[in-house]
Every structure is written in structure tokens, then in C-alpha cells.
């Protein structure tokens, strides 16, 4: 019997890479999608005929229970969230409803339907926020600096609570920033690579950004979903930091991206106060030693190769 996995957020960047990984391992993949008048499935269109899409919503626990009863998954990967930090400031309650309480509804549905289902929660480095120590590992205290970060802390701790209270095989991956050519245009990495490609093509002349001195730990999304899968193959559930261990500034990202497009970022990038966050996260860099040792996981694609890959994909897409 093939293993069966349910992925919430399958139409997102991580969901699409995870679906590909699971299909390559012989899984039957079920993707949960929200019912909407316009369905955006371009990230999974190339594998659409190999997966089963079902509608449901993290705001509606009954829909979760029904999907679990209908499909009996062995594993559930919760990647659905209101995942854009900037939006969490304008829609803080919605962010809490989906990114925090949605996790509880899904865990509760698993507890009710089949407590043997293995569960993965997508936690985030944004939970560290105003960092207490550098680098950050599984024991670093959380100090979130956005409604998104706060909601993710709730989702993280409710996963720990259900694991310890009900004996669920529930693990959290504390993933640091991970990008790819499938990253949404609202995220700074893709905004920069796409912006550089548009300027290269003569479609724009400038790119407006916020804080160029923020530092992040960036990796390749397709590498990071391998860690998610590895967590659910272990006998005992646990929490793991997944990160490259290297930190780079937004300014350096601009430099590499524009250079890859044959341009100088200083000629085009404009710092715009409207993109500065109310509370900034200054320096995130992860220590993934535990994931290396216990999951055998490592980062295959480095920062420079990642940025160059994204710029090349954006230039190619514009040319088409």
C-alpha cells in the first residue's frame, strides 16, 4: 500500500515542492485547497493529474474532520497560513485565525479521527524575532515582532501541547527563510529578482524596497521540504531548526541579483519608507546542527546559486 499524505497549502511554494518530493517517493498525495472563485494552481499545474485536490478550510474544523475521514492519510503536512509578514500588520485577526487557531483545528481533527496520523507543523524563524542569542537553535527563546510571528508561536506551542497531552506524532520544523523561482512576488527575494529581470528587459527603471540592512538566513525551498519529510519518518516526534547557517543582508541580495542580470543595484534600488516594517527583525541566522545529526539533512544549494537561479528564471519567464 502506498503511503498517503495530505498537504494543506499545496498551491504555495513549499506545498508544490513537497508534493513533488512525495510523488517521487511513491506517495499518494491529497492537496487541501480553499474554495474560491479563482483557483491559483500554477505552481502545481505540472503535477495536477498526479494528485487529488479536495476543498476544505483551516477556519472550518468540520471540513478538516471530513477530509481526514474520507482519505485516511498516514501523514499530514500543515503548510497553509496567512504567510506574508507585511499583511499580518493590516490583517492581524485573520492571521491569528488561520496561522494560529487553524493549527488547533487540524490537530483536534486528527485527535478525533485518527490519533496515529503523523503531523508536521510549519513553524518559522519569525518566532525568534528580536533575537536573544545568535545563532538561533531549538532552545532559543521566542520574541516575535509581528502578528505573523506571534501566530506562528501559538501554532508551534499548540503542536507541542497536543504531542505531549495526546501522544500525537506531531513535529514542528522551525524553517528559516527559504526561496525559489516559485516564491510569491510580494516576498523581498522574489521582488528583487523579478525587479532586476524587469529592469534588464527595459520594463522598469527602479525598484522600491524597505530596510536594506536586515539580515536573513536564506536557503532553497526544494532542499527544505526534504527536512519536513524526514521529521515524519522518525520513531519519535520532535522540533528541528532548518537553516543554512549563513546570513546575508537585503543589500547583498540586491547586489548578487542585479549583478546576475548584468546591472548595478545602486543605479536602480530606491529605499522607500512605506516598506519599512513597524517593528523590524534584525538578524536571523539558524543553527541546524540537530537536523544535520538526527535527520541527516543538509543544504544543497547555497545563497549565490539560489539568487542566480531565481534571476535566470525571472528573465526567462519575461522573455517567454
Amino acid at each position: 500500500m502506498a503511503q498517503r499524505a495530505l498537504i494543506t497549502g499545496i498551491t504555495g511554494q513549499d506545498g508544490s515542492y513537497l508534493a513533488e518530493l512525495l510523488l517521487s517517493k511513491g506517495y499518494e498525495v491529497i492537496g487541501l485547497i480553499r474554495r474560491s472563485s479563482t483557483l491559483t494552481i500554477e505552481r502545481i499545474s505540472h503535477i495536477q493529474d498526479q494528485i487529488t485536490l479536495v476543498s476544505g478550510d483551516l477556519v472550518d474544523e468540520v471540513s478538516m474532520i471530513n477530509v481526514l475521514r474520507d482519505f485516511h492519510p498516514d501523514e499530514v503536512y500543515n503548510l497553509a497560513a496567512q504567510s506574508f509578514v507585511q499583511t499580518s500588520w493590516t490583517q492581524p485577526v485573520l492571521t491569528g485565525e488561520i496561522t494560529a487557531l487553524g493549527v488547533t483545528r487540524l490537530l483536534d481533527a486528527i485527535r478525533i479521527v485518527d490519533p496515529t496520523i503523523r503531523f508536521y507543523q510549519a513553524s518559522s524563524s519569525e518566532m525568534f524575532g528580536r533575537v536573544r542569542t545568535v545563532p538561533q537553535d531549538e532552545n532559543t527563546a521566542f520574541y516575535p515582532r509581528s502578528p505573523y510571528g506571534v501566530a506562528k508561536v501559538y501554532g508551534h506551542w499548540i503542536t507541542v501541547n497536543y504531542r505531549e497531552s495526546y501522544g500525537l506524532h506531531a513535529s514542528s520544523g522551525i524553517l528559516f527563510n527559504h526561496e525559489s523561482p516559485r516564491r510569491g512576488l510580494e516576498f523581498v527575494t522574489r521582488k528583487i529578482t523579478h525587479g532586476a529581470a524587469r529592469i534588464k528587459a527595459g520594463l522598469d527603471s527602479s525598484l522600491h524596497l524597505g530596510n536594506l540592512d536586515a539580515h536573513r538566513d536564506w536557503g532553497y525551498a526544494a532542499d527544505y521540504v526534504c527536512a519536513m519529510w524526514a521529521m515524519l519518518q522518525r520513531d519519535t516526534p520532535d522540533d528541528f531548526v532548518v537553516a543554512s547557517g549563513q546570513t546575508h543582508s537585503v543589500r547583498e541580495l540586491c547586489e548578487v541579483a542585479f549583478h546576475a542580470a548584468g546591472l548595478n543595484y545602486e543605479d536602480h534600488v530606491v529605499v522607500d519608507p512605506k516598506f519599512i516594517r513597524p517593528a523590524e527583525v534584525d538578524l536571523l541566522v539558524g543553527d541546524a546542527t540537530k537536523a544535520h545529526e538526527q535527520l541527516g539533512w543538509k543544504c544543497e544549494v547555497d545563497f549565490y546559486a539560489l539568487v542566480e537561479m531565481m534571476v535566470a528564471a525571472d528573465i526567462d519567464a519575461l522573455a517567454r
Side-chain angles (χ1 to χ4, degrees), residues 16 26 29-30 59 79 95 100 115 124 136 183 194 196 210 221 225 229 274 318:
S16 67
V29 176
I30 319 296
V59 175
L79 310 186
T95 300
S124 165
Q136 295 87 47
R183 192 56 143 150
H194 186 252
V225 298
W229 175 79
K274 84 163 180 265
L318 285 174

Side-chain angles (χ1 to χ4, degrees), residues 230-309:
M231 285 176 218
L232 297 202
Q233 309 320 304
R234 299 176 81 248
D235 293 335
T236 48
D238 206 348
D239 306 321
F240 293 89
V241 162
V242 180
S244 76
Q246 307 286 318
T247 185
H248 300 273
S249 67
V250 175
R251 190 182 304 281
E252 189 183 355
L253 178 60
C254 290
E255 205 175 322
V256 176
F258 277 80
H259 180 75
L263 301 164
N264 179 0
Y265 86 96
E266 289 172 315
D267 298 337
H268 304 283
V269 171
V270 179
V271 174
D272 188 333
K274 84 163 180 265
F275 293 117
I276 305 278
R277 291 183 189 177
E280 183 55 86
V281 172
D282 303 311
L283 176 62
L284 288 175
V285 55
D287 175 358
T289 303
K290 183 175 166 184
H292 299 322
E293 291 174 353
Q294 295 186 25
L295 302 176
W297 177 84
K298 60 181 191 297
C299 236
E300 303 288 349
V301 176
D302 74 5
F303 172 76
Y304 303 99
L306 170 66
V307 177
E308 285 161 11
M309 173 206 304

Side-chain angles (χ1 to χ4, degrees), residues 121-194:
Q121 167 59 12
S123 288
S124 165
S125 60
E126 289 287 330
M127 301 189 307
F128 296 122
R130 188 171 173 183
V131 298
R132 313 319 272 156
T133 53
V134 178
Q136 295 87 47
D137 65 14
E138 293 79 8
N139 299 312
T140 304
F142 299 140
Y143 193 140
R145 297 274 278 170
S146 66
Y148 170 76
V150 172
K152 278 292 187 187
V153 170
Y154 178 99
H156 181 83
W157 282 119
I158 202 71
T159 301
V160 173
N161 270 258
Y162 270 66
R163 175 168 79 216
E164 294 178 353
S165 305
Y166 300 114
L168 296 188
H169 192 299
S171 297
S172 279
I174 305 171
L175 271 57
F176 279 66
N177 295 58
H178 46 289
E179 320 295 322
S180 75
R182 298 180 195 171
R183 192 56 143 150
L185 285 169
E186 68 273 27
F187 291 88
V188 72
T189 43
R190 183 74 197 292
K191 184 176 173 181
I192 291 167
T193 63
H194 186 252

Side-chain angles (χ1 to χ4, degrees), residues 75-95:
E75 299 171 359
V76 171
Y77 295 86
N78 182 35
L79 310 186
Q82 188 301 99
S83 63
F84 188 45
V85 174
Q86 199 71 38
T87 300
S88 77
W89 290 103
T90 52
Q91 301 184 346
V93 176
L94 175 77
T95 300

Side-chain angles (χ1 to χ4, degrees), residues 56-66 97 102 105-106 109:
D57 201 309
L58 291 186
V59 175
D60 180 12
E61 188 171 332
V62 173
S63 72
M64 304 284 107
I65 290 171
N66 288 336
E97 196 62 70
R105 295 187 191 100
L106 189 46

